[in-house]
Amino acid sequence: MDRTRIVRLGTGLMALLGTVACGAAPSQGVARGEAIFDTCVPCHGAAGEGNLALGAPAIAGLPEYYVAAQLQSFQANWRGAHPFDTVGIRMKSMVQALDLEGDLESVAQYVATLPGVDPATTLHGDPEAGRASYQVCVACHGPDGKGVEAVRSPPLVGQHDWYLLAQFQKFRKGWRGADPQDAFGQTMRPNSMLLDDEQVTDVIAYIQTLQ
């Protein structure tokens, strides 16, 4: 066999092996994210609607930037680090399964494609009183409560009122936003202390009117 033919055979074999290897690797993107989302369903629901019994928020339609940032926060141990935060600890352990490059981004992309939900009201604050107190939140979450990508803040509309209350309480207690590397949490935590319990409930009632 002449040298030219050997080189051609070798080149072809390398191309074939490369094709097989590429075929074996998971394809990243929305389709990959949908497959990964199966692991999220037991807590967040098939439509990403959330689950009160498990303390799991609605995630359907959350922007990709925010979902990715929060998954990264759990991976970095910024969230789910407090020993009393059992919901956060559970979520942190689930996020560790996103160990292939691009998986985290893929599931964030898929979640962003899900239609948002219209959660039922479970709290009974005064939305008119909450309108004034909401000014504390405007800079980060926007006047329409739809979040601000530049500061990685989430939309508040389309979220369960009980979950919003739980997060206010976690920020106040230092269960969330305590890590100095968590820039969003470090901003949110002192702001959460500007409102008393009644004002928080009223603000959440006002947010529900922005749906």
Side-chain angles (χ1 to χ4, degrees), residues 27-108:
S27 176
Q28 301 300 334
V30 174
R32 172 67 177 167
E34 183 176 7
I36 297 170
F37 188 74
D38 284 346
T39 63
C40 312
V41 169
C43 291
H44 293 284
E49 70 274 18
N51 187 321
L52 172 58
L54 296 176
I59 56 175
L62 283 176
E64 182 182 339
Y65 73 82
Y66 183 71
V67 177
Q70 295 313 297
L71 292 175
Q72 291 163 354
S73 292
F74 281 110
Q75 284 188 336
N77 205 38
W78 298 348
R79 292 190 65 178
H82 196 282
F84 291 159
D85 184 8
T86 55
V87 174
I89 291 169
R90 182 178 66 234
M91 181 63 190
K92 184 174 68 172
S93 66
M94 294 299 295
V95 170
Q96 302 313 312
L98 301 176
D99 56 353
L100 295 180
E101 184 176 355
D103 275 1
L104 185 151
E105 292 79 9
S106 294
V107 75

Side-chain angles (χ1 to χ4, degrees), residues 3-210:
R3 180 179 179 81
T4 300
R5 189 175 181 188
I6 291 173
V7 170
R8 287 176 178 172
L9 286 171
T11 302
L13 179 60
M14 291 299 292
L16 176 61
L17 290 175
T19 301
V20 171
C22 289
S27 176
Q28 301 300 334
V30 174
R32 172 67 177 167
E34 183 176 7
I36 297 170
F37 188 74
D38 284 346
T39 63
C40 312
V41 169
C43 291
H44 293 284
E49 70 274 18
N51 187 321
L52 172 58
L54 296 176
I59 56 175
L62 283 176
E64 182 182 339
Y65 73 82
Y66 183 71
V67 177
Q70 295 313 297
L71 292 175
Q72 291 163 354
S73 292
F74 281 110
Q75 284 188 336
N77 205 38
W78 298 348
R79 292 190 65 178
H82 196 282
F84 291 159
D85 184 8
T86 55
V87 174
I89 291 169
R90 182 178 66 234
M91 181 63 190
K92 184 174 68 172
S93 66
M94 294 299 295
V95 170
Q96 302 313 312
L98 301 176
D99 56 353
L100 295 180
E101 184 176 355
D103 275 1
L104 185 151
E105 292 79 9
S106 294
V107 75
Q109 288 175 27
Y110 175 70
V111 167
T113 69
L114 296 173
V117 299
D118 184 14
T121 299
T122 65
L123 304 177
H124 302 287
D126 180 349
E128 285 306 311
R131 183 192 300 271
S133 297
Y134 182 74
Q135 294 309 305
V136 173
C137 315
V138 167
C140 290
H141 296 283
D144 55 4
K146 293 184 178 179
V148 179
E149 183 173 359
V151 295
R152 291 292 189 267
S153 65
L156 301 177
V157 296
Q159 186 55 264
H160 295 286
D161 54 7
W162 53 261
Y163 181 75
L164 294 177
L165 178 60
Q167 297 315 294
F168 260 106
Q169 293 170 338
K170 285 186 179 184
F171 279 115
R172 283 179 171 180
K173 295 176 181 177
W175 294 11
R176 184 176 175 185
D179 194 295
Q181 297 183 76
D182 181 3
F184 172 73
Q186 288 283 289
T187 300
M188 179 62 193
R189 191 178 176 205
N191 283 340
S192 70
M193 298 176 185
L194 297 175
L195 304 175
D196 60 31
D197 291 345
E198 183 176 357
Q199 288 174 315
V200 168
T201 303
D202 291 343
V203 165
I204 293 173
Y206 173 67
I207 291 169
Q208 298 303 94
T209 71
L210 300 175

